[in-house]
Amino acid sequence: MAQRYHRGHPPESVDKRCSDPSSADYETKKRLRATYEGQQRAAGTLSAHRQLYERPFPLYKQPVEVGCFSLDSHRVFCNDPRQLRYYVQPAQSPGFDLRDGYTSRFVKRDDSVKEKLDHVLRWILANRDRIQTRVQTSSSSALGVDFVTWRGHLTKVLTTPYETHEGWMLAASRFRGSIYISEVETEAARVNRETRSERQEEMMYWGYKFEQYLCADDVDGTPDPGGVVNTNEAFCTVVQTRLADHTLLFSGEVDCRVKDPDAPPAPGSYVELKTSAEICTPKQRSNFHRYKLLKWWAQSFLPGVPQIVAGFRDHDGIVVGVETIPTSKISQLIKNEYNCWKPTVCMNFCNDFLSFVKSVVTEDNPRVVYLFTWDPHRDVSFTVHRDSQYTFLPEWYIRDTSSPHSSQH
């Protein structure tokens, strides 16, 4: 998988259809970009116009796992891998019934409870030495990283240039040299969450049920589809990497790992499990490439998860086919789609967004929150809030990180 991450030029697996520097089209885009950048500096905004980000693929260092943690059946943080599960390959057409157990064996996490960065912060407090010994950076921050966040927040940033429906709000605070980024639920997302139909709720369950059919609790075990699906439970990887000039520490949930003891070290041994509607027409395949694969690629590429196992289901939730999709091959799957998304645009926008955040989030104070807001067809803008409802770094983290034993790093 290492070939996907190269210095200064696009990995082989990403879409190389960048502009030819000698072409008139390139010069037009260059002038457009210069104009936009001048306007944005004056306005304090960042454009998400995809044309501006058609540049060579930025450096993205091979992500390294520096730790992991689990969340138990009550959503309690555990500083160990107890929730890690093992992938068991299914038959090609397994006929899994994703509806099974929805009304009788399902414990649903309360998604109205906003956990912010708390679980990541607990891992940091328990494992600061692991960050220090593994990171090599010129950063002057106490942790030695520029940004701390969840993988899901970065996924939203990556897909922004191609998103046409859902906006986002990301809160950022600088504390002891590192910038922490946490999501704030938008009003539209809140309304959507509170008004989901029963069908939508059940289809969300289907993804977790698919995991139950494919995952064993032990390396020598077999899946138990008759058990309870409890969405409080999770296994999370913590990785460090670098995007251009930005050092990153982020965590993301992982579905399972391969059983092979000779597999590459994590995250190279992890597997992402997904479900999607079966593809019966060219239009459905095109939509799958344009929308589903964009989010699947972003989610797996960021932490370096090398493969996605997709279960294709019919209208009634029966899995009619299973396909393994290497993350590094996704750009090849979409290359024949007209005007499709480009990995280089996603990564360049993320890089510029992080640079924008760095330039804005200047006061080192956990009680000051810079709220970055984006809506489709608009620029990214920000507001500043002091001692507000947006404050997200908890007192227990601030107190422990600021204590005398923390300053010896």
Side-chain angles (χ1 to χ4, degrees):
M1 168 176 131
Q3 74 272 15
R4 294 194 295 125
Y5 304 85
H6 285 280
R7 288 187 177 273
H9 57 84
E12 291 176 6
S13 66
V14 303
D15 192 340
K16 291 185 178 179
R17 294 173 295 164
C18 298
S19 303
D20 178 357
S22 64
S23 69
D25 184 45
Y26 177 83
E27 290 303 323
T28 301
K29 287 176 180 175
K30 196 173 175 183
R31 283 196 299 273
L32 178 66
R33 177 173 173 76
T35 302
Y36 262 107
E37 285 182 337
Q39 292 171 346
Q40 287 169 214
R41 275 193 295 270
T45 62
L46 176 70
S47 173
H49 195 291
R50 66 188 70 160
Q51 270 191 298
L52 299 173
Y53 302 99
E54 293 192 7
R55 313 195 298 271
F57 201 89
L59 178 149
Y60 189 60
K61 199 173 178 185
Q62 176 84 35
V64 174
E65 182 177 82
V66 290
C68 62
F69 61 87
S70 299
L71 302 175
D72 72 9
S73 59
H74 300 288
R75 207 68 184 169
V76 174
F77 172 87
C78 307
N79 188 33
D80 56 49
R82 68 181 68 182
Q83 294 293 348
L84 176 61
R85 298 176 298 175
Y86 295 85
Y87 173 62
V88 178
Q89 187 166 345
Q92 196 64 40
S93 302
F96 297 147
D97 182 359
L98 301 181
R99 299 167 302 178
D100 177 58
Y102 176 64
T103 58
S104 57
R105 304 191 310 279
F106 179 31
V107 177
K108 182 177 181 293
R109 180 168 81 88
D110 183 355
D111 54 12
S112 69
V113 176
K114 301 307 171 190
E115 298 169 332
K116 303 173 184 177
L117 294 185
D118 288 10
H119 297 311
V120 183
L121 302 181
R122 287 190 174 91
W123 182 88
I124 289 173
L125 290 184
N127 298 278
R128 274 173 294 199
D129 291 342
R130 300 192 70 169
I131 305 171
Q132 286 299 309
T133 56
R134 299 296 288 271
V135 73
Q136 293 181 342
T137 176
S138 59
S139 173
S140 59
S141 74
L143 288 181
V145 294
D146 297 328
F147 292 95
V148 176
T149 191
W150 281 107
R151 180 265 314 273
H153 304 349
L154 293 175
T155 300
K156 288 196 173 184
V157 174
L158 251 69
T159 58
T160 295
Y162 299 100
E163 179 59 57
T164 57
H165 297 296
E166 298 178 2
W168 46 254
M169 294 198 309
L170 294 172
S173 287
R174 185 183 287 271
F175 176 53
R176 302 197 76 204
S178 294
I179 297 174
Y180 296 77
I181 298 178
S182 179
E183 187 174 20
V184 175
E185 187 176 43
T186 64
E187 180 62 16
R190 183 191 66 77
V191 170
N192 182 57
R193 172 174 57 81
E194 293 179 351
T195 58
R196 281 195 293 255
S197 68
E198 185 61 27
R199 169 76 174 179
Q200 289 171 320
E201 291 281 0
E202 183 178 352
M203 289 179 73
M204 290 175 67
Y205 166 82
W206 289 359
Y208 293 103
K209 184 65 183 181
F210 182 62
E211 295 173 21
Q212 191 183 54
Y213 278 114
L214 298 185
C215 295
D217 291 337
D218 305 299
V219 68
D220 298 319
T222 56
D224 175 22
V228 173
V229 171
N230 186 332
T231 59
N232 286 300
E233 298 173 347
F235 169 79
C236 297
T237 181
V238 182
V239 301
Q240 283 185 234
T241 183
R242 180 156 68 94
L243 171 57
D245 296 328
H246 312 297
T247 52
L248 309 171
L249 175 75
F250 60 88
S251 178
E253 189 171 342
V254 171
D255 294 329
C256 55
R257 64 154 291 154
V258 296
K259 287 189 171 189
D260 183 0
D262 297 322
S269 55
Y270 290 148
V271 181
E272 182 70 33
L273 304 178
K274 294 291 187 185
T275 63
S276 188
E278 63 177 324
I279 298 170
C280 302
T281 68
K283 177 67 172 174
Q284 289 172 338
R285 180 164 297 280
S286 179
N287 286 339
F288 174 71
H289 287 163
R290 287 175 177 279
Y291 306 113
K292 275 285 173 74
L293 283 186
L294 166 59
K295 293 187 176 176
W296 290 7
W297 170 81
Q299 188 180 28
S300 292
F301 181 79
L302 278 166
V305 174
Q307 59 180 326
I308 301 163
V309 174
F312 293 95
R313 49 168 174 74
D314 65 17
H315 181 77
D316 297 319
I318 304 299
V319 177
V320 296
V322 176
E323 182 180 346
T324 298
I325 305 172
T327 307
S328 62
K329 296 287 191 278
I330 288 178
S331 62
Q332 295 174 24
L333 291 176
I334 65 167
K335 67 182 178 183
N336 293 324
E337 294 287 347
Y338 173 72
N339 199 26
C340 200
W341 60 274
K342 299 178 183 180
T344 186
V345 169
C346 298
M347 295 300 286
N348 279 319
F349 175 75
C350 185
N351 179 34
D352 283 21
F353 172 74
L354 295 177
S355 296
F356 181 55
V357 171
K358 270 185 183 175
S359 71
V360 167
V361 184
T362 53
E363 185 173 347
D364 198 301
N365 182 345
R367 294 189 302 277
V368 175
V369 171
Y370 299 77
L371 188 63
F372 294 84
T373 304
W374 176 80
D375 286 304
H377 315 297
R378 304 290 294 272
D379 291 349
V380 180
S381 60
F382 71 92
T383 50
V384 186
H385 306 264
R386 190 179 299 270
D387 293 316
S388 69
Q389 80 237 42
Y390 299 117
T391 303
F392 63 90
L393 286 176
E395 279 300 322
W396 51 262
Y397 181 75
I398 296 167
R399 185 171 57 249
D400 197 302
T401 309
S402 304
S403 62
H405 70 83
S406 300
S407 62
Q408 57 191 305
H409 296 303

